[in-house]
Each structure stands twice: as structure tokens, then as C-alpha cells.
Amino acid sequence: MLRILLVFSLLISTCFFSQTKLNLIPYPQKVEFQKGEFIIPETLNLSDNLPQKETEYLKNRLKLKSNNVKNHDAHLLYSKLTNKSKLNKEFYSIEISPKQIHIKSYTEQGYFLAIQTLIQLFETHKNGSISALKIEDEPKFQWRGMHLDVCRHFFTVEEVKQYIDYLAMYKLNTFHWHLTDDQGWRIEIKKYPKLTQIGSKRKESMIGAYVDDTFDRRPYGPYFYTQEQIKDVVKYAQDRHITVVPEIEMPGHALAALSAYPELACTKGTFEVATKWGVFDDVFCPKDETFTFLENVLDEVIVLFPSQYIHIGGDECPKTRWKECAHCQELIKMHNLKDEHGLQSYFIQRIEKYVNSKGRKIIGWDEILEGGLAPNAAVMSWTGIKGGIEAAKANHFAVMTPGSYCYFDHYQGDPQTEPNAFGGFTPLDKVYSYNPIPAELNAEQSKYILGVQANLWTEYILDFKQVQYMIFPRLFALSELGWGTSKPDNYKEFENRVVEHFKILDKMKINYAKSIYNISGKVISSNNTVSYELSTSQNPNGIKYTIDGSEPKVNSTTYQNPIPVSKVMTIKSAYFENEELKSAVSSQNFTTSKTTGKKITLEHQPSENYSFGGVFTLVDGIIGNVKQLGKTWLGFQGKDVVATIDLGEKTKFSEVYFNTLDNKGSWIHLAKSATVFVSDDGKNFKSIKEIGKEDILSVKGKINLKVGNQNAKFIKIKIENAGIIPAGNPGADSKAWLFVDEIGAQ
């Protein structure tokens, strides 16, 4: 009898488990399973009271046969909710019984979101039936956005529409269209035809990694959207209940505009549309003719885009030209501004006042906080979370889009096996781990966080297939973040749903990244030793590896435990299934020194964007790759690196080495100086070697210092940041970045 009960119990629990796993993204707020199941009919009877536009969308997506019938004969029927006290325009419910599907919502937008859920239920239940259930659902955040840069590389109207479709499929509701920048002006402005005649093309483009400084020597453009095309895209988005927010960059990122209308600059002379990526000193000059120009441009933009917010950029505006401009300096005195940052605030506030007069609001990147935030402006916090926190505490709305979690132009897998990307390292699980509400905010302040957005900058994205690759599957994680149902502690369950949704992407012939199938490597330290831990989303017994640099084969060593690293070696790994190679081959080179795996502390922490692996990155035995900033280096903006390494016991050494980067186009500068100290107690240090700027420059940042015969327990190294970027360099007047890796001793 007991055996029968156990079997029965197991059967019940198995059925319950299978019932409680819906392959939905984003997962709904509330799901209740009920008895029975709905058999998907060959012909779906649709109630004749269904919202027409959204129902046509449903029919086109599912490609099902359908009939319009009265309610009592319908498989799918709809009720409009009327309780205004509980009104949420995006709320919906779905009740699925064995006989019919009943959708309820307050608005057509809510109905459309229900349609997306229903489509996923149909697509992920290919056995022909759906469990009877009830879903009550609504998003946590009102701004759930994706951005697309069409300036560095251009995408057709049809491709932009496909992009909007992807957002709609996963319940995102905001499309941020980045239309102007240094490398191209992409929107027709009838009053200023030279913007597209001149500003929509460039003589060539950078190719490969930025540090390679190579160009394709091929003209690019003219590429732009006519106003009729803009209207078409906006209407297409509206039909999918997506708001299009246009971005017109100011006062920086203006070279394309200045190439067409040079009189708007602070200096005389000709300008050309930028062929390199990065930041440039020539920006809009805050004079009356500039504001007249921008107001006229905004007049045409506002007519085309009915969005509440107009994005005015405001980021990465060097102050070099303003410092040298007599008009700008006079303006600072006239308005009693503190400095050029105050002048930027003056610029933004003047534009905001004009936009407000048209019944709209401005939103800008977090640099619009410089010199004081415009009265009604919203902030898009990208350099980290600080801007969003500052805005919310000042009762300003903010959209959280920190680069360390939400920049989809970063690598999403091992950079050695991924297409060339901007930098950074933002895999799927990292995106999913993000919480858009900063812990520093209380409940009242948190109300000012409008939501979350991911950004796709296209310096290294040449075509739309690559756009698809960079956003999928990370868009799935963003979707669930914005909906408010992400559970980072249960990431594996989310990943299982992602794999199921790959089948949908396959059916739609979408080119998505399969990085989660590849081998991930992580350096771990224990008892002053280093090991290399391998993992995969698949069966771990399928991992094969070698330590001699040879290609792994099906008969290579099966991975079971972290691989000890005690000498110079190359570990290569891959995933095999049924004796067939299923993943890319991952490769990692290791070097060792007397600091490898030792305890290390920092006085100043690295930027969140460039802190993958934490402080241990500096002693993990992996030499930083100049093309992989996000994974093998630590980045510090405006901060010195002061690192102390505990060798565990007094140790003899005579050399100390470390690497820094020089990439001025990305605001990365070599160190100004470096000093090595030693100590026996970790408290009292003495200096044993210094190196200055000229010597660091002469060895191009690859520093190896002869320090004499030393015998010490602690090594401290202070690497001095270059400070404020000088005039004549990209990002002048901003804090320089210092990138450092592998501090070793021999």
C-alpha cells in the first residue's frame, strides 16, 4: 500500500511540476493552474467584439485559420474592464478553460499584451493543447525600452520595423531611435536640406578594432529617413503600442550637423562627418543662431513624433572649444555661470524651455546633470546608477540603462569566440541579475525610476543580422527586468525558458547568439593557488579540455574539477554531445608569477563597467588583451590604482611588472607615474622604484621594473591616473580612464 501511495504521490508531483512551468517571457505576475486543458482547434473561432487591429496582428503571427462568430460560439472572446479605480492601461487577464479563452483589459494596449502572451502559449505548446489556467498580469515599470543607433551604421525602414516587432513580442513599449551623431545625420529636416545632403554620408568608416586605426576607404551613404518614412515607422510602432522616442544630439556629437552648417560651431573652418568612432571637440556653439537652428529642427521632429519625451542627448560634450571661444566666455560672465559645465546646463535648460513650450518634455543622458539639472528634465542613467539616484533624489524621473548591464554592444560570450564588439563583457546572466531600483533609494524616491532600457550602439555592427545577434537572447532578460518578474537567484529556470524561445527565433530565422552553449571559464583562487573553472549550460560531462594548447577532441580529458594553474599553459575547452563538437573552442593563456593567486586589495574600486572578475583580475595569471577591455582589464575613471598584494610570507623577487593601455580615442590614457613599495608588516612601506610619464610612454605602457634584490611579504604599487584629459584630445576636460592588468613579480 505504501508503495502504491509513493508512486501516486510521485505521479501527482510530476504532473504538478509540468503544469507549473510555462515557457513565457516575460513571466507573468500571477499564474493559477486549473483542471483540464484547451485543445487548440484547426480553425479558431473569434468573437466579433475583439479589438480589430490587435486581432489582425494575432492572426498574422499565428497564421491560423479563423472565423468571426458570436460570443457564445467563440474560442477567443474579450471583455473591456471598466473599474476606473484600478485602471492600469497595461493590465490584462487571460482565463483559459477547456472550452474557450477569455481576455480582459482596460485598454487595447492591455489586450495587445495579452495577445503576446497567448501567442507564446500557442507557440510553446506544440502538442496541441494548453493547460487550463488564469493569468493576471501587468508590468512593474512604465518605460521598457530598447535603443538603436542608426548613425554609425544605417538600417532600412523594413529592418527598423523588424526591430520594433521584436520589442512588441517581448512586451517592451519604448523604441529609442538615435538619429543624429558625429558619424551621420539620419533624419530629413526640410528647413535644412544640407543636413542630409552633406551630413548623411562620410568618406570612409573605421573597420576592425578601434586600436587598429584602420579604414575601409569606401564612401558610406547618403543614408537617411525621409519624413514620410519616419511617419510610416511611427505609425507601425503605434499599431504595436510602442512609443518612438527620437534622439537629436546636442550640444556634443554634432560633427555631422557642423559639416553641413559650419557657422554653428565656435571656430571657423570646414568640418567633415566623422569617420572614426569616439568623441570630438567640435560641438554646437551656444549662440543665438544655433538655438534658432535647433528650435527649427525640433519643430519638425515634434510634428513627426507624438512621444511625451524628446531625447536631446547631452552626453560626452567636451568643453575645449567653449573654453577658447570669446562668445562662450562672455556668456558665462553675462549669466553668472560658474564654468563651462554651467554653460552646458544653460544650453540644456534653454532647449528644455522651448520643448516644454511645445507641450513636450526632454530626457537626456546623465551628463545633463552637469552644472545643474533642467527643471523638468528626465535622466537616462548610462555611466552607472549614480545619475539615476541623483535625479530620483531631486524628484526627477530617470530611466536606468547602466553600461555595465544594459549595453548590448558589449561582448556576451568569450571575446575570443565572438564577433568584434565595442568592449565590455555583458553575458545573459549579468543582464538578468540587474535590479533597476537602486538600493540607495527609499520607497518614495523609487517612484521616480520610470523603468529600464538597453542600448545598441553600432560602431561594430555592420548589418541587421548582427543587430539580431547582439540583442538576442539578452532582450529576453531585459524584458523580464522591465516586467518586474526576474528572479536572478533562479537564473537556471530562466535560462531553460530562453532555450525554448530559441525555437521561436529559429522559426522566424532570427540570427541569435548561442553563447550560453559555449564553455565559460572562471579563474578561482584558494589558499594562494589558482585554478580554472569551466562550466556550460549543458551537461557538464560533455566538456573536454587540453592544457598543452592542442585542440580538444572527443577523447580529450573530461572536465570534472577546476584545473590547477601552476605554470605557463594554454587551456582549450569545448562541449561535445554524442561524440560531436557542439560549441566553439574556448582558449585561455596563463602566465604565472610570485603574485599569481595571492590576496590583493585596492584603495579605489574600478568602474562598474570595467570590473569583471573584480580585483583578482590583477593577479589571475591572465595578461590583458587590448581588444578585450571588459573581461581582462580593470578600468578606473579619474582614479589612481593603489594595490597591495600579500605574498603570504617573505618572498624574494627582483622584478615587478604591470600593463596599462593607451587608447586616447576612448579617453584611455597611460599612467602619469608609478611607484613600487615593499613592507614586511603591511603597514610600514618603503619606496623602492619609481617610473615617470616619459618612460611609461617609451615602453607603450608595458612596464617591467628592475627593483633590485628584494625580500618582502607585501608589495604595494601606486599607478597614477593621467587626471583631466588635456585640450586637443578626445574627451578634453573630462576625467581620463586608466586601464591596468596583471601585476606580477619575478
mmCIF file of all heavy atoms in Angstrom, residues 39-57:
data_model
loop_
_atom_site.group_PDB
_atom_site.id
_atom_site.type_symbol
_atom_site.label_atom_id
_atom_site.label_comp_id
_atom_site.label_asym_id
_atom_site.label_seq_id
_atom_site.Cartn_x
_atom_site.Cartn_y
_atom_site.Cartn_z
ATOM 1 N N ILE A 39 -7.866 22.432 -26.072
ATOM 2 C CA ILE A 39 -7.325 21.823 -27.284
ATOM 3 C C ILE A 39 -7.327 22.879 -28.393
ATOM 4 O O ILE A 39 -8.382 23.433 -28.722
ATOM 5 C CB ILE A 39 -8.156 20.594 -27.725
ATOM 6 C CG1 ILE A 39 -8.286 19.592 -26.556
ATOM 7 C CG2 ILE A 39 -7.506 19.933 -28.938
ATOM 8 C CD1 ILE A 39 -6.974 19.064 -26.040
ATOM 9 N N ILE A 40 -6.161 23.161 -28.948
ATOM 10 C CA ILE A 40 -6.062 24.184 -29.995
ATOM 11 C C ILE A 40 -6.757 23.666 -31.258
ATOM 12 O O ILE A 40 -6.365 22.635 -31.814
ATOM 13 C CB ILE A 40 -4.593 24.510 -30.307
ATOM 14 C CG1 ILE A 40 -3.893 25.038 -29.042
ATOM 15 C CG2 ILE A 40 -4.486 25.535 -31.430
ATOM 16 C CD1 ILE A 40 -2.398 25.247 -29.193
ATOM 17 N N PRO A 41 -7.814 24.347 -31.700
ATOM 18 C CA PRO A 41 -8.576 23.864 -32.861
ATOM 19 C C PRO A 41 -7.874 24.201 -34.176
ATOM 20 O O PRO A 41 -7.007 25.086 -34.231
ATOM 21 C CB PRO A 41 -9.899 24.627 -32.741
ATOM 22 C CG PRO A 41 -9.508 25.918 -32.083
ATOM 23 C CD PRO A 41 -8.392 25.590 -31.138
ATOM 24 N N GLU A 42 -8.245 23.496 -35.224
ATOM 25 C CA GLU A 42 -7.692 23.804 -36.547
ATOM 26 C C GLU A 42 -8.164 25.166 -37.023
ATOM 27 O O GLU A 42 -7.429 25.891 -37.700
ATOM 28 C CB GLU A 42 -8.101 22.723 -37.558
ATOM 29 C CG GLU A 42 -7.402 21.391 -37.338
ATOM 30 C CD GLU A 42 -7.695 20.420 -38.458
ATOM 31 O OE1 GLU A 42 -8.250 20.853 -39.495
ATOM 32 O OE2 GLU A 42 -7.380 19.228 -38.306
ATOM 33 N N THR A 43 -9.400 25.512 -36.690
ATOM 34 C CA THR A 43 -9.946 26.827 -37.025
ATOM 35 C C THR A 43 -10.366 27.511 -35.734
ATOM 36 O O THR A 43 -11.177 26.966 -34.971
ATOM 37 C CB THR A 43 -11.162 26.711 -37.964
ATOM 38 O OG1 THR A 43 -10.754 26.058 -39.175
ATOM 39 C CG2 THR A 43 -11.710 28.093 -38.296
ATOM 40 N N LEU A 44 -9.816 28.672 -35.472
ATOM 41 C CA LEU A 44 -10.069 29.393 -34.227
ATOM 42 C C LEU A 44 -11.258 30.322 -34.414
ATOM 43 O O LEU A 44 -11.230 31.218 -35.269
ATOM 44 C CB LEU A 44 -8.830 30.199 -33.833
ATOM 45 C CG LEU A 44 -8.763 30.734 -32.406
ATOM 46 C CD1 LEU A 44 -8.666 29.581 -31.405
ATOM 47 C CD2 LEU A 44 -7.580 31.673 -32.236
ATOM 48 N N ASN A 45 -12.310 30.119 -33.649
ATOM 49 C CA ASN A 45 -13.484 30.986 -33.714
ATOM 50 C C ASN A 45 -13.243 32.228 -32.861
ATOM 51 O O ASN A 45 -13.011 32.133 -31.654
ATOM 52 C CB ASN A 45 -14.729 30.248 -33.210
ATOM 53 C CG ASN A 45 -15.159 29.158 -34.166
ATOM 54 O OD1 ASN A 45 -14.891 29.225 -35.362
ATOM 55 N ND2 ASN A 45 -15.825 28.137 -33.648
ATOM 56 N N LEU A 46 -13.300 33.381 -33.498
ATOM 57 C CA LEU A 46 -13.004 34.640 -32.827
ATOM 58 C C LEU A 46 -14.287 35.420 -32.594
ATOM 59 O O LEU A 46 -15.107 35.582 -33.518
ATOM 60 C CB LEU A 46 -12.048 35.484 -33.686
ATOM 61 C CG LEU A 46 -10.722 34.819 -34.083
ATOM 62 C CD1 LEU A 46 -9.939 35.732 -35.019
ATOM 63 C CD2 LEU A 46 -9.897 34.478 -32.850
ATOM 64 N N SER A 47 -14.455 35.911 -31.380
ATOM 65 C CA SER A 47 -15.623 36.734 -31.070
ATOM 66 C C SER A 47 -15.628 37.975 -31.950
ATOM 67 O O SER A 47 -14.578 38.555 -32.245
ATOM 68 C CB SER A 47 -15.578 37.132 -29.587
ATOM 69 O OG SER A 47 -16.535 38.122 -29.317
ATOM 70 N N ASP A 48 -16.804 38.390 -32.353
ATOM 71 C CA ASP A 48 -16.880 39.557 -33.242
ATOM 72 C C ASP A 48 -16.701 40.886 -32.507
ATOM 73 O O ASP A 48 -16.762 41.948 -33.116
ATOM 74 C CB ASP A 48 -18.198 39.554 -34.034
ATOM 75 C CG ASP A 48 -19.419 39.492 -33.131
ATOM 76 O OD1 ASP A 48 -19.258 39.643 -31.899
ATOM 77 O OD2 ASP A 48 -20.530 39.286 -33.657
ATOM 78 N N ASN A 49 -16.455 40.837 -31.197
ATOM 79 C CA ASN A 49 -16.232 42.094 -30.470
ATOM 80 C C ASN A 49 -14.749 42.313 -30.133
ATOM 81 O O ASN A 49 -14.406 43.207 -29.364
ATOM 82 C CB ASN A 49 -17.058 42.123 -29.177
ATOM 83 C CG ASN A 49 -16.451 41.234 -28.084
ATOM 84 O OD1 ASN A 49 -15.817 40.225 -28.382
ATOM 85 N ND2 ASN A 49 -16.669 41.616 -26.833
ATOM 86 N N LEU A 50 -13.857 41.498 -30.682
ATOM 87 C CA LEU A 50 -12.430 41.650 -30.389
ATOM 88 C C LEU A 50 -11.884 42.932 -31.017
ATOM 89 O O LEU A 50 -12.282 43.289 -32.145
ATOM 90 C CB LEU A 50 -11.641 40.458 -30.945
ATOM 91 C CG LEU A 50 -11.972 39.063 -30.391
ATOM 92 C CD1 LEU A 50 -11.139 38.015 -31.115
ATOM 93 C CD2 LEU A 50 -11.717 39.001 -28.899
ATOM 94 N N PRO A 51 -10.979 43.635 -30.331
ATOM 95 C CA PRO A 51 -10.335 44.804 -30.952
ATOM 96 C C PRO A 51 -9.698 44.406 -32.282
ATOM 97 O O PRO A 51 -8.899 43.463 -32.343
ATOM 98 C CB PRO A 51 -9.281 45.202 -29.911
ATOM 99 C CG PRO A 51 -9.861 44.743 -28.608
ATOM 100 C CD PRO A 51 -10.551 43.452 -28.934
ATOM 101 N N GLN A 52 -10.070 45.107 -33.320
ATOM 102 C CA GLN A 52 -9.776 44.640 -34.673
ATOM 103 C C GLN A 52 -8.288 44.651 -35.019
ATOM 104 O O GLN A 52 -7.737 43.658 -35.502
ATOM 105 C CB GLN A 52 -10.547 45.492 -35.687
ATOM 106 C CG GLN A 52 -10.396 45.009 -37.117
ATOM 107 C CD GLN A 52 -11.266 45.805 -38.073
ATOM 108 O OE1 GLN A 52 -12.045 46.663 -37.661
ATOM 109 N NE2 GLN A 52 -11.120 45.534 -39.358
ATOM 110 N N LYS A 53 -7.628 45.786 -34.779
ATOM 111 C CA LYS A 53 -6.229 45.937 -35.202
ATOM 112 C C LYS A 53 -5.331 44.906 -34.521
ATOM 113 O O LYS A 53 -4.506 44.245 -35.173
ATOM 114 C CB LYS A 53 -5.764 47.353 -34.871
ATOM 115 C CG LYS A 53 -4.353 47.685 -35.270
ATOM 116 C CD LYS A 53 -4.067 49.173 -35.040
ATOM 117 C CE LYS A 53 -4.295 49.561 -33.587
ATOM 118 N NZ LYS A 53 -4.033 50.993 -33.323
ATOM 119 N N GLU A 54 -5.499 44.748 -33.225
ATOM 120 C CA GLU A 54 -4.673 43.816 -32.464
ATOM 121 C C GLU A 54 -4.974 42.364 -32.838
ATOM 122 O O GLU A 54 -4.076 41.514 -32.867
ATOM 123 C CB GLU A 54 -4.887 44.016 -30.961
ATOM 124 C CG GLU A 54 -4.352 45.330 -30.406
ATOM 125 C CD GLU A 54 -5.250 46.527 -30.717
ATOM 126 O OE1 GLU A 54 -6.386 46.310 -31.194
ATOM 127 O OE2 GLU A 54 -4.824 47.672 -30.472
ATOM 128 N N THR A 55 -6.236 42.081 -33.154
ATOM 129 C CA THR A 55 -6.611 40.715 -33.526
ATOM 130 C C THR A 55 -6.033 40.345 -34.893
ATOM 131 O O THR A 55 -5.635 39.199 -35.124
ATOM 132 C CB THR A 55 -8.139 40.559 -33.510
ATOM 133 O OG1 THR A 55 -8.629 40.922 -32.208
ATOM 134 C CG2 THR A 55 -8.540 39.122 -33.807
ATOM 135 N N GLU A 56 -5.965 41.313 -35.798
ATOM 136 C CA GLU A 56 -5.318 41.062 -37.093
ATOM 137 C C GLU A 56 -3.852 40.704 -36.890
ATOM 138 O O GLU A 56 -3.305 39.837 -37.576
ATOM 139 C CB GLU A 56 -5.445 42.292 -38.006
ATOM 140 C CG GLU A 56 -6.804 42.456 -38.637
ATOM 141 C CD GLU A 56 -7.194 41.256 -39.485
ATOM 142 O OE1 GLU A 56 -6.367 40.805 -40.323
ATOM 143 O OE2 GLU A 56 -8.323 40.742 -39.313
ATOM 144 N N TYR A 57 -3.236 41.386 -35.927
ATOM 145 C CA TYR A 57 -1.847 41.075 -35.591
ATOM 146 C C TYR A 57 -1.735 39.620 -35.121
ATOM 147 O O TYR A 57 -0.841 38.876 -35.543
ATOM 148 C CB TYR A 57 -1.360 42.038 -34.507
ATOM 149 C CG TYR A 57 0.025 41.731 -33.961
ATOM 150 C CD1 TYR A 57 1.149 42.349 -34.502
ATOM 151 C CD2 TYR A 57 0.211 40.831 -32.910
ATOM 152 C CE1 TYR A 57 2.416 42.073 -34.015
ATOM 153 C CE2 TYR A 57 1.471 40.545 -32.417
ATOM 154 C CZ TYR A 57 2.571 41.172 -32.967
ATOM 155 O OH TYR A 57 3.823 40.892 -32.484
#
